[in-house]
């Protein structure tokens, strides 16, 4: 059993077959490629509240990576292609009902891709890419 939503997401994305053998962190991304990071986003959590106190909620978050980067067109295409495939993987998992484990009293309903993956910042040798996602879940009263 997981203790928090971010812990459930961490476990979930570690199983993504597209990830390389890079470091995987929460709220921290180093300067060297290849690394991955989950970062909670900003949102109002309650989508719909029921009379009994239960609710449908959302958890917005970013999946980030530090990738090799330079003026090489082929490398840039590879980085963008990773995020296209990653977004497809997320959608396929959600449609198949393969969702993250959540703390007791919560049940994941879906994960949606809110933005395509994009270049967030870059140096001469590495770049940070990011894709924004939404987890919808049900929370008991």
């Amino acid at each position: 059993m997981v203790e928090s939503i971010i812990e459930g997401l961490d476990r979930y994305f570690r199983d993504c077959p597209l990830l390389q053998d890079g470091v995987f962190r929460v709220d921290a991304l180093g300067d060297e490629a290849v690394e991955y990071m989950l970062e909670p986003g900003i949102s109002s959590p309650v989508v719909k509240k029921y009379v009994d106190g239960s609710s449908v909620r959302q958890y917005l978050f970013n999946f980030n990576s530090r990738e090799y980067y330079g003026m090489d067109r082929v490398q840039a295409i590879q980085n963008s292609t990773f995020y296209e495939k990653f977004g497809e993987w997320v959608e396929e998992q959600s449609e198949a009902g393969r969702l993250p484990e959540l703390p007791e009293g919560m049940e994941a309903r879906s994960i949606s891709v809110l933005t395509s993956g994009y270049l967030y910042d870059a140096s001469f040798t590495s770049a940070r890419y990011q894709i924004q996602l939404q987890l919808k879940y049900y929370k008991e009263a």
Side-chain angles (χ1 to χ4, degrees), residues 122-138:
S123 69
F124 289 110
T125 58
S126 71
R128 176 180 171 178
Y129 285 81
Q130 176 172 290
I131 188 169
Q132 295 175 326
L133 304 153
Q134 175 192 49
L135 169 68
K136 281 195 176 174
Y137 64 97
Y138 175 80

Side-chain angles (χ1 to χ4, degrees), residues 14-133:
R14 285 178 183 270
D15 289 337
C16 178
L18 299 171
L19 303 186
Q20 299 175 29
D21 291 331
V23 176
F24 197 107
R25 304 175 199 261
V26 173
D27 281 343
L29 189 64
D31 294 333
E32 300 296 321
V34 171
E35 292 193 14
Y36 305 100
M37 173 182 73
L38 288 175
E39 172 185 52
I42 299 169
S43 70
S44 175
V46 178
V47 174
K48 183 175 185 177
K49 191 152 187 133
Y50 297 103
V51 179
D52 68 355
S54 62
S55 55
V56 174
R57 295 176 172 246
Q58 67 178 346
Y59 186 89
L60 299 185
F61 63 100
N62 301 322
F63 179 92
N64 300 271
S65 67
R66 175 75 58 196
E67 305 287 346
Y68 292 106
Y69 180 79
M71 300 304 287
D72 181 25
R73 180 179 47 83
V74 173
Q75 182 65 56
I77 290 171
Q78 288 174 346
N79 293 343
S80 291
T81 300
F82 167 80
Y83 276 94
E84 284 180 36
K85 290 182 179 182
F86 181 81
E88 290 171 5
W89 179 84
V90 168
E91 290 171 348
E92 289 168 3
Q93 297 304 301
S94 187
E95 288 172 12
R98 291 186 291 270
L99 298 165
E101 178 186 2
L102 297 180
E104 188 174 342
M106 298 179 185
E107 179 186 326
R109 296 278 172 95
S110 66
I111 293 185
S112 304
V113 175
L114 299 180
T115 65
S116 56
Y118 58 92
L119 178 67
Y120 186 81
D121 72 13
S123 69
F124 289 110
T125 58
S126 71
R128 176 180 171 178
Y129 285 81
Q130 176 172 290
I131 188 169
Q132 295 175 326
L133 304 153

